[in-house]
Amino acid sequence: MSRQLTVAAAQMGPVQRADTRSEVVDRLIAMLRQAHEAGATLVVFPELALTTFFPRWVIDDAEELDGYFESEMPNNETQPLFEAARELEVGFHLGYAEMQTENDGSKRYFNTAILVDRAGRIAGKYRKVHIPGHAEPQPGQVHQHLEKRYFEPGDLGFPVFRSMDGVMGMCICNDRRWPETYRVMGLQGVELVMLGYNTPSANPFAKGQEAPHLGMFHNHLSMQAGAYQNGTWVVAAAKAGMEEGIHHMGGSCVIAPTGEIVALAQGEGDEVVTAQVDLERGVYIRETIFNFAAHRRIEHYGLISSRTGAEPPPA
Ligand code: CDV
C-alpha cells in the first residue's frame, strides 16, 4: 500500500522591513499557485514568513513591536492565502509571530506555525519550544538574535495532527537541531514534519570558531538525522538571502525517512521545490531498526526529561 502526495517547500527570498503584509501574502499565493501547477497538495512556508526577521533589532516601542505580530489568523491580510488554498485544494504550513490577548487584557507572544488543510481550515497549531538567542543585546556579536526578548517558549508541546491522509507534525527553526523535537513526534507516529527557518549564514554565536560551510552542513545534518531516526519525512523551507544586511542560508529541502535529501532549492530567492512523497515509506524503518516498542530502553533515558544542562562528573 502507498499513500502518495506531492509536497512543496516554498523558500522565500528576503522580506525587508518596509514590505507590507499584502505584498508578502501575494508572494506566498504566487508560490502556492506554482506548487499547485507542479501537482503539490501541501506547501510549507518559512518561519515568520509574513515579516522581516525583526528579532535582530531592539524594538522598545510597544506599538511598533506589536505591528510584527498577528492577533488573529486568518486576518484581513492573510485571508486571500486561505481562500487560494481552498480554491486550489492545497494545504499549507505557515510560520508567523502570534500575539494572544488573555482575558485580563495581558498579551502573550509566540513564534507560531499553523497547518491549514485543503479546505482552508486550520488543522493544527504549534508554538516554537526552543527559543534561541538572548533577551539582551550581546556585545561583540556580529549581529543580534533577540528571540528570547520577544517570544516565550511554546506551551503546546509537539502535537501531531491527522490531516491530509497522514500524521503531520511541525517544529520551527532552532527546534530542528534538537533530537527531542523529532522523537516526541516520533512517539506519536509522525509521518511528515514541516518546518520553516531563518538562519544567518554566519553563526552569530560561534565567535569566529565555525568555518562558513558548517552552517549548511549542520542545517541538513540535523534534519536528515531527525528524519531517519524516526522514519519520517521532513519538509523544510528557509527564508534566504540578504535580509536587512544579514545573509540567511537557503537550502530548503524535502528529506525522505531514509535520511536522504530528495529535493533541494538551488537559489536564495522565492523558489518552490517539490517531491513525490509516499507516507508509507518510513514504515519499514519504524518496524525494524527504529521499532521503538521493541528496542527503546526508557529505564535508561530518565536524564533526558529530568536534567536540562550537562553536569559532568566531579574531576
Ligand atoms: N530562527 C532561528 O531559530 N535561528 C537559529 C539561529 C539563531 C542559530 C537556528 O537554529 O537556525
Side-chain angles (χ1 to χ4, degrees), residues 47-48 53 111 128 130 132-133 145 147 172-177 197-200 203-205:
E47 173 193 37
L48 300 178
F53 191 80
N111 188 337
K128 187 175 185 176
H130 299 99
H145 192 102
E147 281 196 67
I172 300 177
C173 196
N174 190 259
D175 288 322
R176 77 194 186 287
R177 301 184 192 274
Y197 57 97
N198 286 259
T199 301
N203 180 346
F205 315 126

PDB file of all heavy atoms in Angstrom, residues 47-48 53 111 128 130 132-133 145 147 172-177 197-200 203-205, ligand 1:
ATOM      1  N   GLU A  47       9.449  30.025   8.619  1.00  0.00           N
ATOM      2  CA  GLU A  47       9.241  30.663   9.928  1.00  0.00           C
ATOM      3  C   GLU A  47       9.065  32.175   9.721  1.00  0.00           C
ATOM      4  O   GLU A  47       9.724  32.773   8.866  1.00  0.00           O
ATOM      5  CB  GLU A  47      10.502  30.422  10.781  1.00  0.00           C
ATOM      6  CG  GLU A  47      10.528  31.161  12.115  1.00  0.00           C
ATOM      7  CD  GLU A  47      11.923  31.138  12.774  1.00  0.00           C
ATOM      8  OE1 GLU A  47      12.946  31.216  12.060  1.00  0.00           O
ATOM      9  OE2 GLU A  47      11.951  31.039  14.016  1.00  0.00           O
ATOM     10  N   LEU A  48       8.202  32.794  10.523  1.00  0.00           N
ATOM     11  CA  LEU A  48       7.996  34.251  10.468  1.00  0.00           C
ATOM     12  C   LEU A  48       7.939  34.725   9.015  1.00  0.00           C
ATOM     13  O   LEU A  48       8.631  35.666   8.619  1.00  0.00           O
ATOM     14  CB  LEU A  48       9.097  34.980  11.237  1.00  0.00           C
ATOM     15  CG  LEU A  48       9.221  34.655  12.738  1.00  0.00           C
ATOM     16  CD1 LEU A  48      10.402  35.416  13.349  1.00  0.00           C
ATOM     17  CD2 LEU A  48       7.938  34.958  13.503  1.00  0.00           C
ATOM     18  N   PHE A  53      12.741  39.357   9.681  1.00  0.00           N
ATOM     19  CA  PHE A  53      13.107  38.696  10.947  1.00  0.00           C
ATOM     20  C   PHE A  53      13.435  39.776  11.989  1.00  0.00           C
ATOM     21  O   PHE A  53      14.595  40.087  12.251  1.00  0.00           O
ATOM     22  CB  PHE A  53      14.288  37.735  10.745  1.00  0.00           C
ATOM     23  CG  PHE A  53      14.520  36.854  11.934  1.00  0.00           C
ATOM     24  CD1 PHE A  53      13.744  35.729  12.150  1.00  0.00           C
ATOM     25  CD2 PHE A  53      15.494  37.172  12.875  1.00  0.00           C
ATOM     26  CE1 PHE A  53      13.932  34.930  13.269  1.00  0.00           C
ATOM     27  CE2 PHE A  53      15.691  36.381  13.997  1.00  0.00           C
ATOM     28  CZ  PHE A  53      14.914  35.262  14.191  1.00  0.00           C
ATOM     29  N   ASN A 111       6.277  32.415  18.755  1.00  0.00           N
ATOM     30  CA  ASN A 111       6.739  32.164  17.400  1.00  0.00           C
ATOM     31  C   ASN A 111       5.983  30.904  16.948  1.00  0.00           C
ATOM     32  O   ASN A 111       6.252  29.804  17.437  1.00  0.00           O
ATOM     33  CB  ASN A 111       8.260  31.945  17.418  1.00  0.00           C
ATOM     34  CG  ASN A 111       8.847  31.878  16.025  1.00  0.00           C
ATOM     35  OD1 ASN A 111       8.159  31.581  15.066  1.00  0.00           O
ATOM     36  ND2 ASN A 111      10.145  32.144  15.941  1.00  0.00           N
ATOM     37  N   LYS A 128       6.799  27.540  18.852  1.00  0.00           N
ATOM     38  CA  LYS A 128       8.223  27.180  18.952  1.00  0.00           C
ATOM     39  C   LYS A 128       8.646  26.971  20.407  1.00  0.00           C
ATOM     40  O   LYS A 128       8.461  27.859  21.255  1.00  0.00           O
ATOM     41  CB  LYS A 128       9.052  28.294  18.317  1.00  0.00           C
ATOM     42  CG  LYS A 128      10.541  28.026  18.185  1.00  0.00           C
ATOM     43  CD  LYS A 128      11.200  29.181  17.424  1.00  0.00           C
ATOM     44  CE  LYS A 128      12.658  28.979  17.133  1.00  0.00           C
ATOM     45  NZ  LYS A 128      13.214  30.086  16.315  1.00  0.00           N
ATOM     46  N   HIS A 130      11.998  25.640  21.411  1.00  0.00           N
ATOM     47  CA  HIS A 130      13.397  26.009  21.654  1.00  0.00           C
ATOM     48  C   HIS A 130      13.633  27.412  21.102  1.00  0.00           C
ATOM     49  O   HIS A 130      13.778  27.599  19.888  1.00  0.00           O
ATOM     50  CB  HIS A 130      14.341  25.011  20.981  1.00  0.00           C
ATOM     51  CG  HIS A 130      14.182  23.608  21.481  1.00  0.00           C
ATOM     52  ND1 HIS A 130      13.448  22.651  20.809  1.00  0.00           N
ATOM     53  CD2 HIS A 130      14.651  22.999  22.599  1.00  0.00           C
ATOM     54  CE1 HIS A 130      13.480  21.508  21.489  1.00  0.00           C
ATOM     55  NE2 HIS A 130      14.208  21.697  22.582  1.00  0.00           N
ATOM     56  N   PRO A 132      15.960  30.373  20.601  1.00  0.00           N
ATOM     57  CA  PRO A 132      17.404  30.631  20.665  1.00  0.00           C
ATOM     58  C   PRO A 132      17.719  32.096  20.947  1.00  0.00           C
ATOM     59  O   PRO A 132      16.831  32.952  20.985  1.00  0.00           O
ATOM     60  CB  PRO A 132      17.870  30.260  19.255  1.00  0.00           C
ATOM     61  CG  PRO A 132      16.708  30.615  18.383  1.00  0.00           C
ATOM     62  CD  PRO A 132      15.462  30.385  19.223  1.00  0.00           C
ATOM     63  N   GLY A 133      19.005  32.360  21.094  1.00  0.00           N
ATOM     64  CA  GLY A 133      19.467  33.739  21.214  1.00  0.00           C
ATOM     65  C   GLY A 133      19.366  34.265  22.634  1.00  0.00           C
ATOM     66  O   GLY A 133      19.462  33.518  23.616  1.00  0.00           O
ATOM     67  N   HIS A 145      20.525  38.464  17.970  1.00  0.00           N
ATOM     68  CA  HIS A 145      19.454  37.489  17.752  1.00  0.00           C
ATOM     69  C   HIS A 145      18.655  37.455  19.054  1.00  0.00           C
ATOM     70  O   HIS A 145      19.027  36.775  20.007  1.00  0.00           O
ATOM     71  CB  HIS A 145      20.017  36.106  17.408  1.00  0.00           C
ATOM     72  CG  HIS A 145      18.955  35.181  16.905  1.00  0.00           C
ATOM     73  ND1 HIS A 145      18.781  34.880  15.572  1.00  0.00           N
ATOM     74  CD2 HIS A 145      17.962  34.534  17.562  1.00  0.00           C
ATOM     75  CE1 HIS A 145      17.752  34.076  15.432  1.00  0.00           C
ATOM     76  NE2 HIS A 145      17.235  33.839  16.637  1.00  0.00           N
ATOM     77  N   GLU A 147      15.477  36.584  20.014  1.00  0.00           N
ATOM     78  CA  GLU A 147      14.191  35.870  20.129  1.00  0.00           C
ATOM     79  C   GLU A 147      13.741  35.735  21.576  1.00  0.00           C
ATOM     80  O   GLU A 147      12.548  35.777  21.869  1.00  0.00           O
ATOM     81  CB  GLU A 147      14.295  34.486  19.481  1.00  0.00           C
ATOM     82  CG  GLU A 147      14.191  34.524  17.974  1.00  0.00           C
ATOM     83  CD  GLU A 147      13.915  33.152  17.404  1.00  0.00           C
ATOM     84  OE1 GLU A 147      12.842  32.593  17.632  1.00  0.00           O
ATOM     85  OE2 GLU A 147      14.810  32.633  16.712  1.00  0.00           O
ATOM     86  N   ILE A 172       9.822  24.505  14.521  1.00  0.00           N
ATOM     87  CA  ILE A 172      10.222  25.790  13.942  1.00  0.00           C
ATOM     88  C   ILE A 172      11.713  26.003  14.155  1.00  0.00           C
ATOM     89  O   ILE A 172      12.203  26.006  15.290  1.00  0.00           O
ATOM     90  CB  ILE A 172       9.423  26.959  14.566  1.00  0.00           C
ATOM     91  CG1 ILE A 172       7.918  26.777  14.314  1.00  0.00           C
ATOM     92  CG2 ILE A 172       9.903  28.296  13.991  1.00  0.00           C
ATOM     93  CD1 ILE A 172       7.029  27.846  14.957  1.00  0.00           C
ATOM     94  N   CYS A 173      12.402  26.208  13.075  1.00  0.00           N
ATOM     95  CA  CYS A 173      13.796  26.640  13.016  1.00  0.00           C
ATOM     96  C   CYS A 173      14.704  25.963  14.034  1.00  0.00           C
ATOM     97  O   CYS A 173      15.081  24.827  13.859  1.00  0.00           O
ATOM     98  CB  CYS A 173      13.889  28.162  13.099  1.00  0.00           C
ATOM     99  SG  CYS A 173      15.530  28.719  12.553  1.00  0.00           S
ATOM    100  N   ASN A 174      15.062  26.638  15.125  1.00  0.00           N
ATOM    101  CA  ASN A 174      16.041  26.071  16.056  1.00  0.00           C
ATOM    102  C   ASN A 174      15.591  24.711  16.590  1.00  0.00           C
ATOM    103  O   ASN A 174      16.440  23.857  16.898  1.00  0.00           O
ATOM    104  CB  ASN A 174      16.309  27.046  17.204  1.00  0.00           C
ATOM    105  CG  ASN A 174      17.488  26.625  18.052  1.00  0.00           C
ATOM    106  OD1 ASN A 174      17.326  26.073  19.133  1.00  0.00           O
ATOM    107  ND2 ASN A 174      18.696  26.833  17.547  1.00  0.00           N
ATOM    108  N   ASP A 175      14.274  24.484  16.675  1.00  0.00           N
ATOM    109  CA  ASP A 175      13.767  23.173  17.107  1.00  0.00           C
ATOM    110  C   ASP A 175      14.365  22.042  16.279  1.00  0.00           C
ATOM    111  O   ASP A 175      14.496  20.910  16.771  1.00  0.00           O
ATOM    112  CB  ASP A 175      12.243  23.094  16.912  1.00  0.00           C
ATOM    113  CG  ASP A 175      11.442  23.930  17.889  1.00  0.00           C
ATOM    114  OD1 ASP A 175      11.815  24.014  19.069  1.00  0.00           O
ATOM    115  OD2 ASP A 175      10.397  24.475  17.454  1.00  0.00           O
ATOM    116  N   ARG A 176      14.677  22.325  15.001  1.00  0.00           N
ATOM    117  CA  ARG A 176      15.120  21.243  14.107  1.00  0.00           C
ATOM    118  C   ARG A 176      16.481  20.696  14.493  1.00  0.00           C
ATOM    119  O   ARG A 176      16.886  19.632  14.009  1.00  0.00           O
ATOM    120  CB  ARG A 176      15.160  21.722  12.646  1.00  0.00           C
ATOM    121  CG  ARG A 176      16.374  22.604  12.265  1.00  0.00           C
ATOM    122  CD  ARG A 176      16.116  23.278  10.932  1.00  0.00           C
ATOM    123  NE  ARG A 176      17.218  24.034  10.356  1.00  0.00           N
ATOM    124  CZ  ARG A 176      17.666  25.227  10.786  1.00  0.00           C
ATOM    125  NH1 ARG A 176      17.144  25.790  11.861  1.00  0.00           N
ATOM    126  NH2 ARG A 176      18.626  25.846  10.154  1.00  0.00           N
ATOM    127  N   ARG A 177      17.204  21.402  15.346  1.00  0.00           N
ATOM    128  CA  ARG A 177      18.550  20.955  15.739  1.00  0.00           C
ATOM    129  C   ARG A 177      18.515  19.988  16.927  1.00  0.00           C
ATOM    130  O   ARG A 177      19.558  19.427  17.275  1.00  0.00           O
ATOM    131  CB  ARG A 177      19.409  22.164  16.108  1.00  0.00           C
ATOM    132  CG  ARG A 177      19.550  23.175  14.980  1.00  0.00           C
ATOM    133  CD  ARG A 177      20.484  24.299  15.351  1.00  0.00           C
ATOM    134  NE  ARG A 177      20.417  25.398  14.407  1.00  0.00           N
ATOM    135  CZ  ARG A 177      21.120  25.479  13.272  1.00  0.00           C
ATOM    136  NH1 ARG A 177      21.945  24.507  12.947  1.00  0.00           N
ATOM    137  NH2 ARG A 177      21.002  26.520  12.469  1.00  0.00           N
ATOM    138  N   TYR A 197      12.580  28.025   8.592  1.00  0.00           N
ATOM    139  CA  TYR A 197      13.733  28.563   9.317  1.00  0.00           C
ATOM    140  C   TYR A 197      14.219  29.887   8.748  1.00  0.00           C
ATOM    141  O   TYR A 197      14.032  30.182   7.574  1.00  0.00           O
ATOM    142  CB  TYR A 197      14.877  27.557   9.415  1.00  0.00           C
ATOM    143  CG  TYR A 197      15.441  26.976   8.135  1.00  0.00           C
ATOM    144  CD1 TYR A 197      16.585  27.509   7.549  1.00  0.00           C
ATOM    145  CD2 TYR A 197      14.874  25.862   7.542  1.00  0.00           C
ATOM    146  CE1 TYR A 197      17.147  26.951   6.397  1.00  0.00           C
ATOM    147  CE2 TYR A 197      15.421  25.296   6.391  1.00  0.00           C
ATOM    148  CZ  TYR A 197      16.548  25.845   5.823  1.00  0.00           C
ATOM    149  OH  TYR A 197      17.079  25.281   4.691  1.00  0.00           O
ATOM    150  N   ASN A 198      14.796  30.700   9.668  1.00  0.00           N
ATOM    151  CA  ASN A 198      15.541  31.932   9.332  1.00  0.00           C
ATOM    152  C   ASN A 198      16.901  31.749   9.972  1.00  0.00           C
ATOM    153  O   ASN A 198      17.063  31.964  11.183  1.00  0.00           O
ATOM    154  CB  ASN A 198      14.899  33.169   9.970  1.00  0.00           C
ATOM    155  CG  ASN A 198      13.622  33.618   9.298  1.00  0.00           C
ATOM    156  OD1 ASN A 198      13.612  34.568   8.526  1.00  0.00           O
ATOM    157  ND2 ASN A 198      12.524  32.950   9.613  1.00  0.00           N
ATOM    158  N   THR A 199      17.898  31.360   9.195  1.00  0.00           N
ATOM    159  CA  THR A 199      19.197  31.040   9.781  1.00  0.00           C
ATOM    160  C   THR A 199      20.293  31.865   9.129  1.00  0.00           C
ATOM    161  O   THR A 199      20.574  31.694   7.938  1.00  0.00           O
ATOM    162  CB  THR A 199      19.490  29.532   9.630  1.00  0.00           C
ATOM    163  OG1 THR A 199      18.453  28.800  10.291  1.00  0.00           O
ATOM    164  CG2 THR A 199      20.834  29.178  10.246  1.00  0.00           C
ATOM    165  N   PRO A 200      20.891  32.772   9.905  1.00  0.00           N
ATOM    166  CA  PRO A 200      22.003  33.550   9.337  1.00  0.00           C
ATOM    167  C   PRO A 200      23.110  32.616   8.846  1.00  0.00           C
ATOM    168  O   PRO A 200      23.426  31.616   9.506  1.00  0.00           O
ATOM    169  CB  PRO A 200      22.491  34.389  10.532  1.00  0.00           C
ATOM    170  CG  PRO A 200      21.319  34.432  11.470  1.00  0.00           C
ATOM    171  CD  PRO A 200      20.601  33.124  11.296  1.00  0.00           C
ATOM    172  N   ASN A 203      27.109  31.863  11.687  1.00  0.00           N
ATOM    173  CA  ASN A 203      26.572  31.592  13.026  1.00  0.00           C
ATOM    174  C   ASN A 203      26.917  32.751  13.966  1.00  0.00           C
ATOM    175  O   ASN A 203      28.090  32.967  14.279  1.00  0.00           O
ATOM    176  CB  ASN A 203      27.174  30.278  13.533  1.00  0.00           C
ATOM    177  CG  ASN A 203      26.682  29.903  14.921  1.00  0.00           C
ATOM    178  OD1 ASN A 203      26.102  30.724  15.631  1.00  0.00           O
ATOM    179  ND2 ASN A 203      26.929  28.663  15.305  1.00  0.00           N
ATOM    180  N   PRO A 204      25.903  33.515  14.433  1.00  0.00           N
ATOM    181  CA  PRO A 204      26.205  34.705  15.229  1.00  0.00           C
ATOM    182  C   PRO A 204      26.794  34.381  16.595  1.00  0.00           C
ATOM    183  O   PRO A 204      27.381  35.239  17.244  1.00  0.00           O
ATOM    184  CB  PRO A 204      24.842  35.393  15.377  1.00  0.00           C
ATOM    185  CG  PRO A 204      23.833  34.308  15.198  1.00  0.00           C
ATOM    186  CD  PRO A 204      24.456  33.300  14.275  1.00  0.00           C
ATOM    187  N   PHE A 205      26.647  33.136  17.049  1.00  0.00           N
ATOM    188  CA  PHE A 205      27.093  32.772  18.400  1.00  0.00           C
ATOM    189  C   PHE A 205      28.464  32.087  18.411  1.00  0.00           C
ATOM    190  O   PHE A 205      28.990  31.777  19.472  1.00  0.00           O
ATOM    191  CB  PHE A 205      26.078  31.826  19.065  1.00  0.00           C
ATOM    192  CG  PHE A 205      24.651  32.250  18.894  1.00  0.00           C
ATOM    193  CD1 PHE A 205      23.707  31.376  18.364  1.00  0.00           C
ATOM    194  CD2 PHE A 205      24.242  33.526  19.262  1.00  0.00           C
ATOM    195  CE1 PHE A 205      22.387  31.767  18.195  1.00  0.00           C
ATOM    196  CE2 PHE A 205      22.929  33.922  19.101  1.00  0.00           C
ATOM    197  CZ  PHE A 205      21.996  33.045  18.565  1.00  0.00           C
TER     198      PHE A 205
HETATM  199  N1  CDV B   1      15.399  31.441  13.841  1.00  0.00           N
HETATM  200  C1  CDV B   1      16.223  30.589  14.464  1.00  0.00           C
HETATM  201  O1  CDV B   1      15.795  29.825  15.310  1.00  0.00           O
HETATM  202  N2  CDV B   1      17.525  30.598  14.093  1.00  0.00           N
HETATM  203  C2  CDV B   1      18.552  29.821  14.725  1.00  0.00           C
HETATM  204  C3  CDV B   1      19.867  30.535  14.669  1.00  0.00           C
HETATM  205  C4  CDV B   1      19.881  31.732  15.513  1.00  0.00           C
HETATM  206  C5  CDV B   1      21.020  29.665  15.064  1.00  0.00           C
HETATM  207  C6  CDV B   1      18.707  28.456  14.084  1.00  0.00           C
HETATM  208  O2  CDV B   1      18.828  27.473  14.835  1.00  0.00           O
HETATM  209  O3  CDV B   1      18.767  28.348  12.859  1.00  0.00           O
END
